[in-house]
Amino acid sequence: MLVLLGILVVVAGFVARINPLLVILAAAIVTGVCAAMAPGVSLAALVQAGVATLTAFGEAFNDNRYFHVVWLILPVIGLLERAGLQERARMLIARVKAASAGRLLLAYLLIRQGTSALGLTSLGGHPQMVRPLVAPMAEGAAEIEAGGTLPDAVRYRIRGMSAATDNIGLFFGEDIFIAIGSIILMVGFLEQAGIIVEPLQLSIWAIPTAIAAFLIHGARLLMFDREVRKALSGTTPEAGQ
């Protein structure tokens, strides 16, 4: 029962709004030390249990260091946003005369779905692509059509559609890649049910679904352009500001 004290540490740390990384680390150490507690165990043995827990953390991080390198890009994106990345994205899309929010998101859907089908799922995503680049560019395209600042309702609608486009492109594109986790999961599940299929078969049959998803959501994006124009038709630049 003592090992459950680690859960209390997590709850107390989150309630106190302490750094989550420190809270999780402290909870792990408490759990490791409590697991070693037994009648006759010396203090040195408990200290050794805490050290062993830290050692396990270090070994796990070292063994998976190439996986964790991906997360180092997030602070870089934060610095770029602070340095004006979103403003530059808006300025860039403003130079394209035929750009609109729906057309830009349609192009991103094609890229996102195509790269996901090749297994490059990390090239997109909400924190590293939608928030700093895709959504600001879509907003910039809509601002050109509006001739001024967008109303909040339209701006949030564009951001939501940007996030949805990324989700749809990833979800229906990644199943085409034969070595993705979802394919392996489906193969294992079907095998337990007595249905033997090859991963390549599932990947091939995912292609029609991906095409249908692209056509359906692509039509939604083109209709979304009309919705944005309709919402902006009654909004003057001064009212938007």
Side-chain angles (χ1 to χ4, degrees):
M1 294 296 294
L2 289 178
V3 295
L4 298 179
L5 290 177
I7 299 177
L8 294 179
V9 173
V10 172
V11 173
F14 285 168
V15 170
R17 297 187 177 183
I18 302 174
N19 189 308
L21 292 178
L22 296 178
V23 173
I24 297 301
L25 181 60
I29 294 175
V30 169
T31 301
V33 172
C34 290
M37 285 186 177
V41 176
S42 64
L43 179 61
L46 297 179
V47 172
Q48 184 61 33
V51 173
T53 303
L54 289 176
T55 302
F57 264 85
E59 290 178 351
F61 181 83
N62 185 66
D63 293 340
N64 299 278
R65 59 187 180 278
Y66 297 111
F67 172 79
H68 296 293
V69 167
V70 178
W71 299 103
L72 296 179
I73 194 65
L74 297 181
V76 176
I77 293 174
L79 291 175
L80 290 175
E81 284 193 22
R82 186 173 182 180
L85 177 63
Q86 293 187 359
E87 289 74 11
R88 290 293 179 181
R90 287 190 177 92
M91 292 172 60
L92 175 64
I93 201 63
R95 300 176 183 176
V96 183
K97 300 297 183 181
S100 67
R103 292 173 186 169
L104 187 142
L105 293 178
L106 180 60
Y108 178 68
L109 175 64
L110 177 63
I111 295 173
R112 182 62 162 146
Q113 202 167 30
T115 54
S116 298
L118 297 175
L120 304 175
T121 57
S122 299
L123 290 183
H126 295 182
Q128 64 267 38
M129 186 64 71
V130 174
R131 173 185 166 87
L133 285 177
V134 177
M137 292 177 73
E139 292 175 23
E143 286 174 352
I144 297 302
E145 291 186 318
T149 304
L150 298 176
D152 286 343
V154 176
R155 186 178 303 277
Y156 296 145
R157 185 84 169 86
I158 292 175
R159 292 177 181 178
M161 186 61 77
S162 301
T165 300
D166 183 90
N167 288 345
I168 292 172
L170 172 64
F171 186 85
F172 290 99
E174 66 177 0
D175 285 343
I176 300 176
F177 186 61
I178 191 173
I180 205 71
S182 56
I183 293 291
I184 305 301
L185 176 62
M186 286 186 284
V187 169
F189 178 80
L190 292 174
E191 185 177 353
Q192 290 179 355
I195 304 173
I196 307 300
V197 296
E198 295 294 330
L200 181 59
Q201 293 177 286
L202 293 178
S203 297
I204 292 176
W205 281 103
I207 295 176
T209 307
I211 294 175
F214 178 82
L215 294 177
I216 294 172
H217 190 63
R220 290 184 63 203
L221 291 174
L222 296 179
M223 294 172 60
F224 177 67
D225 262 344
R226 298 169 60 183
E227 294 178 13
V228 171
R229 293 191 188 101
K230 183 178 180 180
L232 295 176
S233 61
T235 304
T236 62
E238 290 79 10
Q241 293 175 358

